[in-house]
Amino acid sequence: MSTTLLVVQTLNGLQFGILLFLIAAGLTLVFGVMDFVNLAHGVQYMIGAYLAATFTALTGNFLWGLLLALPTALVVGIILEVLVFRHLYERDHLSQVLATFGVILFLNEAVKLIWGAAPLGVPVPEMLSGNVVLMDGVLYPVYRLVIIGAGLAVALLLYFGVNHTRVGMLVRAGASNPRMVSALGVNIGRLFMIVFGFGAMLAGFAGIMVAPILSVEPGMGDNLLILAMVVIVIGGIGSIRGAFIAALLIGLVDTLGRSFFGDLLRLFMPAATASQTGRAIAPMLIYILMAAVLFFRPAGLFPARR
Amino acid sequence: MRGLKKVLLSAVAFAALGGVAQAAPAEKVKIGLVTTLTGPSAVLGQQIRDGFLLSVQQNGGKIGGIEAEVIVVDDEQKPDVAVNRVRGLIERDKVDFVVGPVFSNIAVAMFKPVVQSETFFISPNSGTSNFAGRDCSPYYFVTSYQNDQMHGVLGKHAQNEGLKRVVLMVPNYQAGKDSVAGFKRHYEGEIVDEIYTSLGQLDFSAELARIAALQPDALFTFMPGGMGVNLTKQFRQAGLADKVKFLSAFTVDETTLPAQRDDAVGFFGGANWAPDFDNEQSKAFVAAYEAAFDNVPGTYAMQAFDAAQLLDSAVRGVGGDLSDKDAVRAALMKADFPSLRGEFTFNHNGYPIQDFYLVKAAKREDGKYQTEIVEKIFDDYADDYAGQCRLGS
């Protein structure tokens, strides 16, 4: 029984990690390429989820919801870029933090005005609502496997896009020396807009994908934003590869820690103390991990080359 | 200049009139309604506001036949904000009654400033153990329940049904621990595991895998708000719904069902009322509420509606004269109003004595979701702390 539980929990950890990666990828892209601290990334994730809920309800089909919500999330991202973020690129990080924090407050309230304060739900698409039998008596929801697949696809797409395409090359060049790229005749402003819009769309995609398993509610992105920040700090700011590995690491440490840390402690101490200590320390594990990484490798596991 | 004179004159005349009318009924009943209208739990606060105002509106904007002014303030679910705003209500607006809040920690913070100013404090939702027991006050009345009772309903039900093995799962904070204590008070079977999650947890896959491995007869949980939505969806998706009975408090109700939808249908909760409650006034209330606000009222709205009815009966009972506090208290204590839940009386500590039911989430014919009463679990249940309260003895 214990090994099957271990397998399931490992899968759960991977799935949580992939979810974190979907959010962190856009964040690290914007942060790394544009040197722009975007706290509003979490609300863009929330907007993706709300759009998915709306369009799924309108069309009655999750796939249509996804196809409509994705470009809308992109448009919302670009509107925000033009209205707010564009004017902040030249400012220091503190101004960026303050302004994007303001955007969080504004959008959280706006969402409440438009959709109401009550949480919304999106049903899991009929086709993907079943369970797969992994082993004897061990079920795993199909939809969660779909999330893992989608995350892996995004990771591949990003890897290929950034490293092997012309736009990707410009993005990398723009990251290391924007003035030179501009002097060579590339419209750096538009490039940044594309990167930002893409980042917003990634956040929106994450929101859309989680809508069927999580409640869609105002402020749903705020907690995840913190975890996404931890991911990009551990992975190395600006590194997609770092974000991928750090996200999986955090997903696994968090899930396995929550489920087995208490049992592990039970080997050394009495049961009651073990479960109490376990439940106190388990939620801290990822932050302990972050502190350790920062101590030994202050730039993160895979610092982006500058 | 002339205009100013006119104003002054009329002010003097007004004051003189007021002086003559001293012993007569108050001209206006002022009520401060403190509730949570922003943040993730705003939907609970909105139900309380809407339920209360619906009753006032049905009485033609009056309380006890006297024109009512209801000042609605938002506590932002922050104790410090609540204290500041309620001080303003008492000192600046000089309200006659304070009604609110949603959350117990806010109530604890507001309690002192309100009762020390000898203003009557009516709680439409939170009912902590300390104010029911040792710290009870003659100025504090609760139209909801004592918090433990809602958890106790499920414990009693599990005991009655002879469920042998139960897993408990709650967020790791004070209300979560109280919930576990409330359940255990009435349940004597084996508790296989107590799982404490972090507050605000989104993904329960790890915990659900553990529950699946333990194979208990039932899960008892307390996951208010968004956590409850996440949990019920994931519980259903993990295929546990057919194997493990889902017992919960504050997890499946009218505020979360619009998001949980089919995933929560058939899941159990405990309550002092449900929208399908079978009496005249309750049916009329549900119909009026749904027509006005386009959502199904939960216990929050019901308790706030009853709070307004309580005030109406008390102001009427003293003939509108709010200056004699003892008379007002006696009138409140009578609870002489047609409660939506039928029988309703106050215990000596200002907490209700009422029936509790097992409720079950269901889909209505019109496609909306609500909880429905399954069976009565407790009859005329007074809370377990009333004995520690020395009032009226």
Side-chain angles (χ1 to χ4, degrees), chain A residues 5 23 57 60 73 111 119 138 174 190 232 286:
Chain A
L5 191 58
I23 299 163
V111 156
V138 181
R190 201 171 66 199
I232 69 171
I286 52 175

Coordinates of all heavy atoms in Angstrom, one line a residue, chain A residues 5 23 57 60 73 111 119 138 174 190 232 286:
Chain A
L5 N 0.9 4.4 -2.6 CA 0.6 5.8 -2.2 C 1.8 6.7 -2.6 O 1.6 7.8 -3.0 CB 0.5 5.8 -0.6 CG -0.1 7.0 0.0 CD1 -1.4 7.4 -0.6 CD2 -0.2 6.9 1.5
I23 N 2.6 28.9 -14.5 CA 2.5 30.3 -14.0 C 3.9 31.0 -14.0 O 4.0 32.1 -14.4 CB 1.9 30.3 -12.6 CG1 0.5 29.7 -12.7 CG2 1.8 31.7 -12.1 CD1 0.0 29.3 -11.3
A57 N -19.3 28.6 -20.0 CA -20.7 28.7 -19.7 C -21.5 29.1 -21.0 O -22.6 28.6 -21.2 CB -21.0 29.6 -18.6
G60 N -20.9 26.2 -23.6 CA -21.3 24.8 -23.1 C -20.2 23.8 -23.4 O -20.5 22.6 -23.3
A73 N -7.3 36.5 -23.2 CA -6.3 36.7 -22.1 C -5.1 37.5 -22.8 O -4.6 38.4 -22.1 CB -5.8 35.4 -21.5
V111 N -13.0 42.3 -11.0 CA -13.5 41.0 -11.2 C -14.8 40.8 -10.3 O -15.8 40.2 -10.8 CB -12.4 39.9 -10.9 CG1 -13.0 38.6 -10.5 CG2 -11.5 39.8 -12.1
P119 N -17.7 32.3 -5.5 CA -16.8 31.6 -6.4 C -17.6 30.9 -7.6 O -18.7 30.6 -7.4 CB -16.2 30.5 -5.5 CG -17.0 30.5 -4.2 CD -17.7 31.8 -4.1
V138 N -5.7 1.8 -7.5 CA -5.2 3.2 -7.5 C -5.7 4.0 -8.7 O -5.4 3.6 -9.8 CB -3.6 3.2 -7.5 CG1 -3.2 4.7 -7.4 CG2 -3.1 2.5 -6.3
G174 N 17.5 40.9 -27.1 CA 16.9 42.1 -26.4 C 17.1 42.0 -24.9 O 17.3 43.0 -24.2
R190 N 8.0 47.0 -29.6 CA 7.0 46.0 -30.1 C 7.4 44.6 -29.6 O 6.6 43.8 -29.2 CB 6.8 46.0 -31.6 CG 5.5 45.4 -32.0 CD 5.2 45.6 -33.4 NE 6.2 44.9 -34.3 CZ 6.4 45.1 -35.6 NH1 5.8 46.1 -36.1 NH2 7.3 44.4 -36.2
I232 N 10.8 31.1 -9.4 CA 11.8 31.7 -10.2 C 13.0 32.1 -9.5 O 14.1 32.2 -10.0 CB 11.2 32.9 -11.0 CG1 10.9 34.1 -10.1 CG2 10.0 32.5 -11.8 CD1 10.5 35.3 -10.9
I286 N 9.2 24.2 1.5 CA 9.6 24.9 0.3 C 10.4 26.2 0.6 O 11.3 26.5 -0.1 CB 8.4 25.2 -0.6 CG1 7.4 25.9 0.1 CG2 7.9 23.9 -1.2 CD1 6.2 26.4 -0.8

